[in-house]
Amino acid sequence: MCGICGYITNKSVRIDNKILEEMADAVSHRGPDGRGFYSNISRANVSVGFGHRRLSIIDLSDDARQPMCNESGTIWIVFNGEIYNFLELKPSLLKKGHTFKSASDTEVILHLYEEHKEKCLEYLNGMFAFAIWDSTDNSLFAARDRMGEKPFFYTLCEGALLFASEIKSILKYPKFKKELDILALQKYLAYEYIPAPRSIFKNVFKLPAGHFLKWHNGEVRTEKYWDLELYKSEQPFNLSDKECADKIKSLLSKSIEQRLISDVPLGVFLSGGIDSSAILALMSKLMDPRRIDTFSIGFENKSFDESPYARDLACLFKTNHHEEILTANRLIEIIPRITDFLDEPLGDASIIPTYLLSAFTRKYIKVAIGGDGGDELFAGYPTFQADKAIDLFYALPRSIKNLILKIIKKALPVSCENISLDFKMKQFLRGGFYPAFIRHFVWMGSFTPDTQMKLLKEPDPRIINKTYDDVEQLSYNYPSKQRINTLLYLYTKLYLQNDLLAKVDTASMLNSLEVRSPFLDLELIKFMQTVPVSFKIRNLTTKYILRKGFSGILPDNILKRPKKGFGMPVAKWFKGEIKNYLLSVLSEREINKAGIFNYGFINTLLDDHFSNKRDNRKLLWTLLIFQQWYKKNFNG
């Protein structure tokens, strides 16, 4: 796991090594174990420079240093990630005459590219973002893994293509001028993240998951090389429940085994939910559980605290368990550090406990196994249950719907507890009359277009109307006959890629910790694409086949638990311990200084939350993070 950066131009100019060093050092937290550089001007007058920061995980020797070249020195690579099947790929490359100077997976990519060019991606199973300079045809080839575990940002600046693991490297390029992208801001307010390919900065882009980029003669093109094919699950399926569950356990076990390859210590993020618990159960069969370190974060508020479940599982499997408590005071300490390092605002409050978990874990180990992707593979979100009920609600006459809305608003008191009944019901109903797919992102997000019209000082309806065009574009041409399949596709392409995986990458790499996700293994994904929806959600039981497969292996109190998420009691803290901090960040002076939002509307949000009139935790948190991020980047 590392940090990469570079730039290329067809102008014959000397690469400024000082700029490369500054770009690389901007992501030194991603690779504290070393750094390396390469620069050259080709015979075709193409100037190229690569920078690399190294986090040593596999092959700790200097032989694995990057940038790395092939035998002839004609092809160079900078790589961030892990290729889990590199040992399987290496023998065929040796037979074709390639020589290896290291035991790293980086060199396998390099030689695969020599053999197959862009088609090398078809062979890779892992998480990755890399760039390859090919002097034989004066081109640059870059790619991002299928699910988007590893980030890749790029921009064109005065004829130069700049790329990096994080935007902060691009900001070090002297000629780049940062400017806020207003549509990206409005997408952030709606989704709580910014969907690829946009970023918060105008003309800076994320390479989407499953895409590659090619630069040649100053021209840049991007192309999709892989996509989810969930519609395959609508074809005949011949496995029984047990056979399907056994296949899943076998594939997940192999995925975990591949992710145990490391030359440094590793452990498990253990939340007490079914995903991380299943990983621990299978991992304990692959190695002595007494050598497994498990880590969890707890809260004093019991409705948010999952640590007792994690503690019981650690006791059951006899692991070395470690816990830490997140308090309001720790939150105030962490927010500035997080917002200082965020490339763009991320409104998912769980980034705070994820950061603390990563920092805590890094004291003991260098690689952690996580459970990300399980909800997308097995339809684990409560919103999939809500989707089954929503059609019944909207089939009612408008007068009855309005009556139900009034009753709920009056009868349900505002609660600060985790996923309380009033929070769930009001989130359910705020989807209003949005189209079927968009309403899910209204449920999951913060500011709808209507509320943005009140929030923004100078709202432009033409831009606001484009808020959910990502959902519309992704779902429009997706060849699925079943709505749940299209929803799983949308959650993977939007929420998983741009929120969950971005959150984990940011929080873990800020602490120089690598996180590996067995549920995102290519072979497991390929199989799950063929599994019918009825195996994933049956009646109102989410993750049906995963629960069935681990029946008798995991305790019933784990298997039957509803999903809680990695939340924290921010609604309560906003009214108490961190109220003054919230008010200082969202003060009239700070809001007017930025000049983007209408303070009167924000003041109403604050008053309604403090008086228990409404639970505005999501809206206020989204604004809090943006204001802190904006102050650092534009208005410090």
Side-chain angles (χ1 to χ4, degrees), residues 355-374:
Y355 168 82
L356 182 60
L357 177 62
S358 298
F360 172 49
T361 300
R362 186 61 176 87
K363 294 177 182 178
Y364 298 87
I365 59 173
K366 210 170 184 177
V367 178
I369 309 295
D372 293 298

Side-chain angles (χ1 to χ4, degrees), residues 5-7 15 17 20 36-42 48-52 66-69 73-78 133 135:
C5 63
Y7 63 101
I15 294 295
N17 288 328
L20 268 182
F37 303 95
Y38 165 77
S39 61
N40 191 30
I41 300 177
S42 74
V48 61
F50 282 174
H52 185 263
Q66 298 183 48
M68 183 182 288
C69 66
T74 57
I75 300 175
W76 288 79
I77 185 173
V78 279
W133 159 243
S135 66

Side-chain angles (χ1 to χ4, degrees), residues 44-60:
N45 290 326
V46 174
S47 301
V48 61
F50 282 174
H52 185 263
R53 292 294 311 217
R54 185 183 183 194
L55 181 64
S56 304
I57 302 293
I58 295 175
D59 190 349
L60 309 185

Side-chain angles (χ1 to χ4, degrees), residues 125-369:
N125 184 355
M127 55 178 179
F128 55 83
F130 63 78
I132 292 175
W133 159 243
D134 187 346
S135 66
T136 64
D137 67 356
N138 291 290
S139 68
L140 183 136
F141 174 69
R144 191 177 180 199
D145 64 71
R146 294 168 180 83
M147 303 299 279
E149 292 183 74
K150 293 292 100 188
F152 189 95
F153 294 91
Y154 69 96
T155 189
L156 284 170
C157 180
E158 296 191 4
L161 170 69
L162 314 177
F163 70 86
S165 296
E166 299 183 17
I167 297 176
K168 56 181 62 67
S169 291
I170 292 174
L171 298 183
K172 293 295 182 181
Y173 191 72
K175 294 182 180 179
F176 179 78
K177 305 301 180 187
K178 57 185 179 182
E179 184 179 353
L180 189 70
D181 185 320
I182 298 302
L183 178 55
L185 165 62
Q186 292 176 190
K187 288 180 181 293
Y188 164 74
L189 293 171
Y191 294 101
E192 300 175 6
Y193 53 83
I194 300 160
R198 286 186 178 274
S199 82
I200 193 65
F201 294 102
K202 190 174 288 187
N203 298 322
V204 176
F205 303 98
K206 306 179 184 88
L207 184 62
H211 281 64
F212 69 75
L213 175 151
K214 190 75 179 283
W215 179 97
H216 189 250
N217 289 333
E219 298 295 323
V220 175
R221 69 178 175 91
T222 60
E223 185 176 320
K224 184 191 297 182
Y225 70 87
W226 184 88
D227 205 358
L228 278 171
E229 298 176 328
L230 294 167
Y231 48 84
K232 289 182 176 180
S233 70
E234 295 161 20
Q235 300 169 359
F237 188 72
N238 299 320
L239 298 183
S240 66
D241 285 9
K242 184 180 184 307
E243 290 169 333
C244 181
D246 288 344
K247 178 71 171 178
I248 289 168
K249 284 188 292 183
S250 174
L251 289 169
L252 184 57
S253 181
K254 182 181 178 182
S255 172
I256 293 168
E257 186 174 17
Q258 288 180 319
R259 282 155 182 78
L260 295 181
I261 298 173
S262 173
D263 293 329
V264 296
L266 48 77
V268 180
F269 284 167
L270 186 61
S271 68
I274 186 172
D275 297 336
S276 62
S277 302
I279 288 171
L280 177 59
L282 294 176
M283 190 170 168
S284 67
K285 294 181 179 181
L286 297 169
M287 60 186 292
D288 184 348
R290 292 171 296 182
R291 293 177 50 227
I292 300 175
D293 286 282
T294 51
F295 303 87
S296 65
I297 294 295
F299 299 92
E300 294 168 332
N301 184 310
K302 298 303 179 185
S303 75
F304 288 85
D305 188 24
E306 295 186 284
S307 62
Y309 295 99
R311 197 178 308 132
D312 289 347
L313 281 162
C315 182
L316 175 65
F317 290 103
K318 299 181 174 59
T319 69
N320 302 312
H321 191 56
H322 313 271
E323 293 180 7
E324 188 145 317
I325 300 296
L326 175 57
T327 63
N329 288 335
R330 290 296 301 275
L331 173 68
I332 294 174
E333 293 173 9
I334 290 171
I335 289 178
R337 178 158 171 77
I338 289 289
T339 51
D340 272 354
F341 275 84
L342 281 176
D343 278 332
E344 50 186 3
L346 181 62
D348 186 340
S350 67
I351 193 172
I352 301 296
T354 304
Y355 168 82
L356 182 60
L357 177 62
S358 298
F360 172 49
T361 300
R362 186 61 176 87
K363 294 177 182 178
Y364 298 87
I365 59 173
K366 210 170 184 177
V367 178
I369 309 295

Side-chain angles (χ1 to χ4, degrees), residues 356-417:
L356 182 60
L357 177 62
S358 298
F360 172 49
T361 300
R362 186 61 176 87
K363 294 177 182 178
Y364 298 87
I365 59 173
K366 210 170 184 177
V367 178
I369 309 295
D372 293 298
D375 289 313
E376 286 73 20
L377 282 188
F378 297 95
Y381 292 110
T383 45
F384 292 120
Q385 297 167 320
D387 190 75
K388 285 180 168 286
I390 196 73
D391 288 337
L392 297 175
F393 175 77
Y394 287 129
L396 297 172
R398 182 182 291 269
S399 58
I400 296 178
K401 285 199 290 283
N402 290 337
L403 178 62
I404 292 173
L405 283 168
K406 289 180 181 178
I407 291 172
I408 288 175
K409 286 179 179 178
K410 290 183 179 180
L412 290 177
V414 173
S415 170
C416 293
E417 300 304 303

